[in-house]
Amino acid sequence: PDRTLRLAAQVAFEADRIGIKTALIGAAALAVHGYSRGTEDIDLATYVLPKTGLAALAQSLKELGLQTE
């Protein structure tokens, strides 16, 4: 879980650095508000143009040594 949280924070930071805002959603967001539900992942939502914003984020993450699909 700690590794997952660190990775999500890194992705959110990189997204913000290039101008893409993210929001925590899913079970982790529920936990912030006192509703616990088991999960093994972190969900981030954003509104971004796929061909420009997502491409820029993917490139930024690859430069950090992360794999994207």
Side-chain angles (χ1 to χ4, degrees):
D2 288 340
R3 183 179 182 277
T4 302
L5 290 173
R6 283 193 307 272
L7 181 58
Q10 187 176 20
V11 170
F13 178 84
E14 283 301 308
D16 187 61
R17 188 180 68 75
I18 61 173
I20 299 172
K21 302 298 180 203
T22 60
L24 181 65
I25 62 172
L30 289 173
V32 170
H33 296 284
Y35 300 95
S36 62
R37 186 179 88 195
T39 187
E40 294 184 15
D41 66 353
I42 301 292
D43 301 306
L44 297 173
T46 190
Y47 178 78
V48 63
L49 296 174
K51 292 194 179 203
T52 55
L54 286 182
L57 180 57
Q59 183 60 38
S60 179
L61 295 174
K62 285 179 185 177
E63 289 171 5
L64 293 174
L66 300 174
Q67 182 179 356
T68 64
E69 295 179 4

